[in-house]
PDB file of all heavy atoms in Angstrom:
ATOM      1  N   LEU A 660      17.310  -1.559 -11.275  1.00  0.00           N
ATOM      2  CA  LEU A 660      17.540  -2.208 -12.566  1.00  0.00           C
ATOM      3  C   LEU A 660      18.897  -1.775 -13.089  1.00  0.00           C
ATOM      4  O   LEU A 660      19.210  -0.581 -13.112  1.00  0.00           O
ATOM      5  CB  LEU A 660      16.451  -1.816 -13.568  1.00  0.00           C
ATOM      6  CG  LEU A 660      16.684  -2.236 -15.030  1.00  0.00           C
ATOM      7  CD1 LEU A 660      16.572  -3.756 -15.175  1.00  0.00           C
ATOM      8  CD2 LEU A 660      15.689  -1.536 -15.957  1.00  0.00           C
ATOM      9  N   LEU A 661      19.710  -2.736 -13.516  1.00  0.00           N
ATOM     10  CA  LEU A 661      21.008  -2.457 -14.110  1.00  0.00           C
ATOM     11  C   LEU A 661      20.972  -2.805 -15.589  1.00  0.00           C
ATOM     12  O   LEU A 661      20.670  -3.944 -15.960  1.00  0.00           O
ATOM     13  CB  LEU A 661      22.093  -3.272 -13.402  1.00  0.00           C
ATOM     14  CG  LEU A 661      23.524  -3.073 -13.909  1.00  0.00           C
ATOM     15  CD1 LEU A 661      23.986  -1.641 -13.671  1.00  0.00           C
ATOM     16  CD2 LEU A 661      24.474  -4.056 -13.234  1.00  0.00           C
ATOM     17  N   LEU A 662      21.269  -1.823 -16.427  1.00  0.00           N
ATOM     18  CA  LEU A 662      21.325  -2.016 -17.867  1.00  0.00           C
ATOM     19  C   LEU A 662      22.741  -1.770 -18.350  1.00  0.00           C
ATOM     20  O   LEU A 662      23.372  -0.770 -17.979  1.00  0.00           O
ATOM     21  CB  LEU A 662      20.377  -1.053 -18.595  1.00  0.00           C
ATOM     22  CG  LEU A 662      18.875  -1.212 -18.348  1.00  0.00           C
ATOM     23  CD1 LEU A 662      18.112  -0.130 -19.089  1.00  0.00           C
ATOM     24  CD2 LEU A 662      18.379  -2.596 -18.774  1.00  0.00           C
ATOM     25  N   GLU A 663      23.227  -2.659 -19.179  1.00  0.00           N
ATOM     26  CA  GLU A 663      24.542  -2.455 -19.785  1.00  0.00           C
ATOM     27  C   GLU A 663      24.447  -1.368 -20.851  1.00  0.00           C
ATOM     28  O   GLU A 663      23.495  -1.321 -21.634  1.00  0.00           O
ATOM     29  CB  GLU A 663      25.040  -3.757 -20.407  1.00  0.00           C
ATOM     30  CG  GLU A 663      26.435  -3.644 -20.985  1.00  0.00           C
ATOM     31  CD  GLU A 663      26.967  -4.978 -21.481  1.00  0.00           C
ATOM     32  OE1 GLU A 663      26.215  -5.959 -21.411  1.00  0.00           O
ATOM     33  OE2 GLU A 663      28.130  -5.005 -21.916  1.00  0.00           O
ATOM     34  N   GLY A 664      25.459  -0.503 -20.886  1.00  0.00           N
ATOM     35  CA  GLY A 664      25.507   0.544 -21.896  1.00  0.00           C
ATOM     36  C   GLY A 664      24.837   1.808 -21.422  1.00  0.00           C
ATOM     37  O   GLY A 664      23.715   1.786 -20.917  1.00  0.00           O
ATOM     38  N   ARG A 665      25.553   2.907 -21.504  1.00  0.00           N
ATOM     39  CA  ARG A 665      24.966   4.209 -21.151  1.00  0.00           C
ATOM     40  C   ARG A 665      25.645   5.267 -22.006  1.00  0.00           C
ATOM     41  O   ARG A 665      26.867   5.353 -22.049  1.00  0.00           O
ATOM     42  CB  ARG A 665      25.188   4.532 -19.673  1.00  0.00           C
ATOM     43  CG  ARG A 665      24.673   5.917 -19.279  1.00  0.00           C
ATOM     44  CD  ARG A 665      24.680   6.093 -17.772  1.00  0.00           C
ATOM     45  NE  ARG A 665      26.019   6.105 -17.211  1.00  0.00           N
ATOM     46  CZ  ARG A 665      26.773   7.201 -17.107  1.00  0.00           C
ATOM     47  NH1 ARG A 665      26.334   8.353 -17.540  1.00  0.00           N
ATOM     48  NH2 ARG A 665      27.982   7.138 -16.573  1.00  0.00           N
ATOM     49  N   GLN A 666      24.835   6.046 -22.699  1.00  0.00           N
ATOM     50  CA  GLN A 666      25.359   7.135 -23.508  1.00  0.00           C
ATOM     51  C   GLN A 666      24.377   8.290 -23.451  1.00  0.00           C
ATOM     52  O   GLN A 666      23.172   8.090 -23.305  1.00  0.00           O
ATOM     53  CB  GLN A 666      25.588   6.704 -24.965  1.00  0.00           C
ATOM     54  CG  GLN A 666      24.342   6.247 -25.699  1.00  0.00           C
ATOM     55  CD  GLN A 666      23.939   4.831 -25.348  1.00  0.00           C
ATOM     56  OE1 GLN A 666      24.795   4.001 -25.059  1.00  0.00           O
ATOM     57  NE2 GLN A 666      22.650   4.555 -25.378  1.00  0.00           N
ATOM     58  N   PRO A 667      24.873   9.530 -23.542  1.00  0.00           N
ATOM     59  CA  PRO A 667      23.953  10.677 -23.512  1.00  0.00           C
ATOM     60  C   PRO A 667      22.936  10.587 -24.645  1.00  0.00           C
ATOM     61  O   PRO A 667      23.276  10.271 -25.781  1.00  0.00           O
ATOM     62  CB  PRO A 667      24.888  11.875 -23.668  1.00  0.00           C
ATOM     63  CG  PRO A 667      26.235  11.385 -23.265  1.00  0.00           C
ATOM     64  CD  PRO A 667      26.279   9.946 -23.654  1.00  0.00           C
ATOM     65  N   ALA A 668      21.697  10.803 -24.311  1.00  0.00           N
ATOM     66  CA  ALA A 668      20.640  10.807 -25.326  1.00  0.00           C
ATOM     67  C   ALA A 668      20.339  12.217 -25.806  1.00  0.00           C
ATOM     68  O   ALA A 668      19.830  12.413 -26.903  1.00  0.00           O
ATOM     69  CB  ALA A 668      19.373  10.173 -24.759  1.00  0.00           C
ATOM     70  N   ALA A 669      20.644  13.216 -24.969  1.00  0.00           N
ATOM     71  CA  ALA A 669      20.333  14.610 -25.300  1.00  0.00           C
ATOM     72  C   ALA A 669      21.472  15.495 -24.792  1.00  0.00           C
ATOM     73  O   ALA A 669      21.345  16.133 -23.759  1.00  0.00           O
ATOM     74  CB  ALA A 669      19.004  15.019 -24.679  1.00  0.00           C
ATOM     75  N   PRO A 670      22.624  15.515 -25.497  1.00  0.00           N
ATOM     76  CA  PRO A 670      23.768  16.293 -25.015  1.00  0.00           C
ATOM     77  C   PRO A 670      23.457  17.759 -24.776  1.00  0.00           C
ATOM     78  O   PRO A 670      24.044  18.396 -23.902  1.00  0.00           O
ATOM     79  CB  PRO A 670      24.794  16.118 -26.139  1.00  0.00           C
ATOM     80  CG  PRO A 670      24.385  14.849 -26.830  1.00  0.00           C
ATOM     81  CD  PRO A 670      22.899  14.800 -26.734  1.00  0.00           C
ATOM     82  N   GLY A 671      22.514  18.298 -25.512  1.00  0.00           N
ATOM     83  CA  GLY A 671      22.162  19.706 -25.345  1.00  0.00           C
ATOM     84  C   GLY A 671      21.069  19.949 -24.325  1.00  0.00           C
ATOM     85  O   GLY A 671      20.596  21.071 -24.173  1.00  0.00           O
ATOM     86  N   GLY A 672      20.649  18.896 -23.613  1.00  0.00           N
ATOM     87  CA  GLY A 672      19.574  19.044 -22.636  1.00  0.00           C
ATOM     88  C   GLY A 672      18.242  18.656 -23.229  1.00  0.00           C
ATOM     89  O   GLY A 672      18.104  18.462 -24.443  1.00  0.00           O
ATOM     90  N   PRO A 673      17.218  18.537 -22.384  1.00  0.00           N
ATOM     91  CA  PRO A 673      15.900  18.111 -22.866  1.00  0.00           C
ATOM     92  C   PRO A 673      15.248  19.167 -23.745  1.00  0.00           C
ATOM     93  O   PRO A 673      15.586  20.353 -23.688  1.00  0.00           O
ATOM     94  CB  PRO A 673      15.106  17.912 -21.575  1.00  0.00           C
ATOM     95  CG  PRO A 673      15.773  18.801 -20.581  1.00  0.00           C
ATOM     96  CD  PRO A 673      17.228  18.793 -20.941  1.00  0.00           C
ATOM     97  N   ALA A 674      14.310  18.708 -24.548  1.00  0.00           N
ATOM     98  CA  ALA A 674      13.540  19.625 -25.386  1.00  0.00           C
ATOM     99  C   ALA A 674      12.812  20.637 -24.514  1.00  0.00           C
ATOM    100  O   ALA A 674      12.486  20.368 -23.360  1.00  0.00           O
ATOM    101  CB  ALA A 674      12.542  18.832 -26.230  1.00  0.00           C
ATOM    102  N   ARG A 675      12.530  21.792 -25.057  1.00  0.00           N
ATOM    103  CA  ARG A 675      11.800  22.816 -24.316  1.00  0.00           C
ATOM    104  C   ARG A 675      10.382  22.946 -24.849  1.00  0.00           C
ATOM    105  O   ARG A 675       9.808  24.040 -24.888  1.00  0.00           O
ATOM    106  CB  ARG A 675      12.534  24.168 -24.382  1.00  0.00           C
ATOM    107  CG  ARG A 675      13.905  24.162 -23.742  1.00  0.00           C
ATOM    108  CD  ARG A 675      13.882  23.609 -22.317  1.00  0.00           C
ATOM    109  NE  ARG A 675      13.092  24.440 -21.408  1.00  0.00           N
ATOM    110  CZ  ARG A 675      12.596  24.026 -20.266  1.00  0.00           C
ATOM    111  NH1 ARG A 675      12.763  22.768 -19.884  1.00  0.00           N
ATOM    112  NH2 ARG A 675      11.907  24.842 -19.492  1.00  0.00           N
ATOM    113  N   ASP A 676       9.797  21.832 -25.261  1.00  0.00           N
ATOM    114  CA  ASP A 676       8.404  21.859 -25.677  1.00  0.00           C
ATOM    115  C   ASP A 676       7.526  22.089 -24.450  1.00  0.00           C
ATOM    116  O   ASP A 676       7.976  21.999 -23.310  1.00  0.00           O
ATOM    117  CB  ASP A 676       8.032  20.551 -26.369  1.00  0.00           C
ATOM    118  CG  ASP A 676       8.214  19.355 -25.447  1.00  0.00           C
ATOM    119  OD1 ASP A 676       9.368  18.965 -25.220  1.00  0.00           O
ATOM    120  OD2 ASP A 676       7.209  18.839 -24.923  1.00  0.00           O
ATOM    121  N   ALA A 677       6.237  22.365 -24.681  1.00  0.00           N
ATOM    122  CA  ALA A 677       5.342  22.744 -23.587  1.00  0.00           C
ATOM    123  C   ALA A 677       5.205  21.624 -22.565  1.00  0.00           C
ATOM    124  O   ALA A 677       5.184  21.868 -21.353  1.00  0.00           O
ATOM    125  CB  ALA A 677       3.968  23.124 -24.140  1.00  0.00           C
ATOM    126  N   ALA A 678       5.121  20.368 -23.030  1.00  0.00           N
ATOM    127  CA  ALA A 678       4.946  19.249 -22.088  1.00  0.00           C
ATOM    128  C   ALA A 678       6.157  19.116 -21.181  1.00  0.00           C
ATOM    129  O   ALA A 678       6.018  18.918 -19.960  1.00  0.00           O
ATOM    130  CB  ALA A 678       4.709  17.957 -22.865  1.00  0.00           C
ATOM    131  N   THR A 679       7.353  19.220 -21.735  1.00  0.00           N
ATOM    132  CA  THR A 679       8.561  19.107 -20.915  1.00  0.00           C
ATOM    133  C   THR A 679       8.657  20.275 -19.936  1.00  0.00           C
ATOM    134  O   THR A 679       9.030  20.086 -18.775  1.00  0.00           O
ATOM    135  CB  THR A 679       9.806  19.058 -21.816  1.00  0.00           C
ATOM    136  OG1 THR A 679       9.692  17.961 -22.735  1.00  0.00           O
ATOM    137  CG2 THR A 679      11.074  18.883 -20.990  1.00  0.00           C
ATOM    138  N   GLN A 680       8.333  21.467 -20.378  1.00  0.00           N
ATOM    139  CA  GLN A 680       8.396  22.633 -19.494  1.00  0.00           C
ATOM    140  C   GLN A 680       7.451  22.483 -18.308  1.00  0.00           C
ATOM    141  O   GLN A 680       7.787  22.894 -17.190  1.00  0.00           O
ATOM    142  CB  GLN A 680       8.067  23.906 -20.277  1.00  0.00           C
ATOM    143  CG  GLN A 680       9.156  24.308 -21.257  1.00  0.00           C
ATOM    144  CD  GLN A 680       8.856  25.634 -21.921  1.00  0.00           C
ATOM    145  OE1 GLN A 680       8.649  26.648 -21.255  1.00  0.00           O
ATOM    146  NE2 GLN A 680       8.823  25.641 -23.246  1.00  0.00           N
ATOM    147  N   ARG A 681       6.283  21.885 -18.525  1.00  0.00           N
ATOM    148  CA  ARG A 681       5.351  21.693 -17.407  1.00  0.00           C
ATOM    149  C   ARG A 681       5.920  20.729 -16.362  1.00  0.00           C
ATOM    150  O   ARG A 681       5.529  20.777 -15.195  1.00  0.00           O
ATOM    151  CB  ARG A 681       4.004  21.181 -17.925  1.00  0.00           C
ATOM    152  CG  ARG A 681       3.134  22.277 -18.545  1.00  0.00           C
ATOM    153  CD  ARG A 681       1.709  21.794 -18.770  1.00  0.00           C
ATOM    154  NE  ARG A 681       1.632  20.785 -19.803  1.00  0.00           N
ATOM    155  CZ  ARG A 681       1.475  21.039 -21.099  1.00  0.00           C
ATOM    156  NH1 ARG A 681       1.385  22.306 -21.515  1.00  0.00           N
ATOM    157  NH2 ARG A 681       1.413  20.074 -21.991  1.00  0.00           N
ATOM    158  N   CYS A 682       6.837  19.871 -16.781  1.00  0.00           N
ATOM    159  CA  CYS A 682       7.468  18.943 -15.832  1.00  0.00           C
ATOM    160  C   CYS A 682       8.580  19.601 -15.028  1.00  0.00           C
ATOM    161  O   CYS A 682       9.116  18.964 -14.109  1.00  0.00           O
ATOM    162  CB  CYS A 682       8.046  17.744 -16.581  1.00  0.00           C
ATOM    163  SG  CYS A 682       6.828  16.772 -17.469  1.00  0.00           S
ATOM    164  N   GLN A 683       8.954  20.819 -15.378  1.00  0.00           N
ATOM    165  CA  GLN A 683      10.037  21.513 -14.690  1.00  0.00           C
ATOM    166  C   GLN A 683       9.579  22.908 -14.259  1.00  0.00           C
ATOM    167  O   GLN A 683      10.060  23.924 -14.759  1.00  0.00           O
ATOM    168  CB  GLN A 683      11.268  21.606 -15.584  1.00  0.00           C
ATOM    169  CG  GLN A 683      11.882  20.249 -15.905  1.00  0.00           C
ATOM    170  CD  GLN A 683      13.198  20.356 -16.649  1.00  0.00           C
ATOM    171  OE1 GLN A 683      13.271  20.913 -17.746  1.00  0.00           O
ATOM    172  NE2 GLN A 683      14.259  19.831 -16.037  1.00  0.00           N
ATOM    173  N   PRO A 684       8.633  22.973 -13.321  1.00  0.00           N
ATOM    174  CA  PRO A 684       8.119  24.290 -12.903  1.00  0.00           C
ATOM    175  C   PRO A 684       9.208  25.180 -12.326  1.00  0.00           C
ATOM    176  O   PRO A 684       9.107  26.411 -12.405  1.00  0.00           O
ATOM    177  CB  PRO A 684       7.067  23.930 -11.840  1.00  0.00           C
ATOM    178  CG  PRO A 684       7.431  22.553 -11.374  1.00  0.00           C
ATOM    179  CD  PRO A 684       8.014  21.866 -12.563  1.00  0.00           C
ATOM    180  N   HIS A 685      10.251  24.596 -11.766  1.00  0.00           N
ATOM    181  CA  HIS A 685      11.338  25.381 -11.187  1.00  0.00           C
ATOM    182  C   HIS A 685      12.136  26.135 -12.238  1.00  0.00           C
ATOM    183  O   HIS A 685      12.776  27.133 -11.934  1.00  0.00           O
ATOM    184  CB  HIS A 685      12.277  24.460 -10.399  1.00  0.00           C
ATOM    185  CG  HIS A 685      12.757  23.280 -11.184  1.00  0.00           C
ATOM    186  ND1 HIS A 685      11.941  22.216 -11.493  1.00  0.00           N
ATOM    187  CD2 HIS A 685      13.975  22.985 -11.737  1.00  0.00           C
ATOM    188  CE1 HIS A 685      12.629  21.312 -12.184  1.00  0.00           C
ATOM    189  NE2 HIS A 685      13.863  21.765 -12.356  1.00  0.00           N
ATOM    190  N   ARG A 686      12.115  25.661 -13.475  1.00  0.00           N
ATOM    191  CA  ARG A 686      12.855  26.347 -14.533  1.00  0.00           C
ATOM    192  C   ARG A 686      12.064  27.470 -15.177  1.00  0.00           C
ATOM    193  O   ARG A 686      12.632  28.389 -15.756  1.00  0.00           O
ATOM    194  CB  ARG A 686      13.268  25.347 -15.619  1.00  0.00           C
ATOM    195  CG  ARG A 686      14.273  24.319 -15.141  1.00  0.00           C
ATOM    196  CD  ARG A 686      14.844  23.533 -16.298  1.00  0.00           C
ATOM    197  NE  ARG A 686      15.592  24.398 -17.225  1.00  0.00           N
ATOM    198  CZ  ARG A 686      16.135  23.966 -18.362  1.00  0.00           C
ATOM    199  NH1 ARG A 686      15.999  22.687 -18.705  1.00  0.00           N
ATOM    200  NH2 ARG A 686      16.792  24.793 -19.151  1.00  0.00           N
ATOM    201  N   SER A 687      10.764  27.401 -15.059  1.00  0.00           N
ATOM    202  CA  SER A 687       9.927  28.412 -15.704  1.00  0.00           C
ATOM    203  C   SER A 687       9.473  29.491 -14.751  1.00  0.00           C
ATOM    204  O   SER A 687       8.717  30.380 -15.124  1.00  0.00           O
ATOM    205  CB  SER A 687       8.697  27.742 -16.338  1.00  0.00           C
ATOM    206  OG  SER A 687       7.939  27.069 -15.344  1.00  0.00           O
ATOM    207  N   ALA A 688       9.919  29.429 -13.480  1.00  0.00           N
ATOM    208  CA  ALA A 688       9.462  30.405 -12.480  1.00  0.00           C
ATOM    209  C   ALA A 688      10.638  30.968 -11.694  1.00  0.00           C
ATOM    210  O   ALA A 688      10.637  31.022 -10.492  1.00  0.00           O
ATOM    211  CB  ALA A 688       8.468  29.748 -11.528  1.00  0.00           C
ATOM    212  N   LYS A 689      11.670  31.405 -12.429  1.00  0.00           N
ATOM    213  CA  LYS A 689      12.816  32.017 -11.774  1.00  0.00           C
ATOM    214  C   LYS A 689      12.417  33.341 -11.142  1.00  0.00           C
ATOM    215  O   LYS A 689      11.599  34.086 -11.680  1.00  0.00           O
ATOM    216  CB  LYS A 689      13.939  32.253 -12.784  1.00  0.00           C
ATOM    217  CG  LYS A 689      14.533  30.977 -13.365  1.00  0.00           C
ATOM    218  CD  LYS A 689      15.395  30.263 -12.353  1.00  0.00           C
ATOM    219  CE  LYS A 689      16.106  29.071 -12.986  1.00  0.00           C
ATOM    220  NZ  LYS A 689      16.931  28.351 -12.015  1.00  0.00           N
ATOM    221  N   ARG A 690      13.008  33.605  -9.979  1.00  0.00           N
ATOM    222  CA  ARG A 690      12.728  34.853  -9.268  1.00  0.00           C
ATOM    223  C   ARG A 690      13.956  35.747  -9.308  1.00  0.00           C
ATOM    224  O   ARG A 690      15.088  35.262  -9.366  1.00  0.00           O
ATOM    225  CB  ARG A 690      12.340  34.563  -7.811  1.00  0.00           C
ATOM    226  CG  ARG A 690      11.084  33.733  -7.669  1.00  0.00           C
ATOM    227  CD  ARG A 690      10.932  33.208  -6.260  1.00  0.00           C
ATOM    228  NE  ARG A 690      12.021  32.291  -5.948  1.00  0.00           N
ATOM    229  CZ  ARG A 690      12.123  31.636  -4.794  1.00  0.00           C
ATOM    230  NH1 ARG A 690      11.219  31.827  -3.858  1.00  0.00           N
ATOM    231  NH2 ARG A 690      13.133  30.817  -4.566  1.00  0.00           N
TER     232      ARG A 690
END
Side-chain angles (χ1 to χ4, degrees):
L660 170 69
L661 181 64
L662 295 177
E663 183 175 3
R665 176 170 66 87
Q666 61 281 328
R675 297 308 296 160
D676 60 285
T679 303
Q680 289 185 56
R681 282 192 292 272
C682 299
Q683 295 187 300
H685 52 287
R686 294 191 63 184
S687 59
K689 295 287 186 181
R690 298 167 296 182

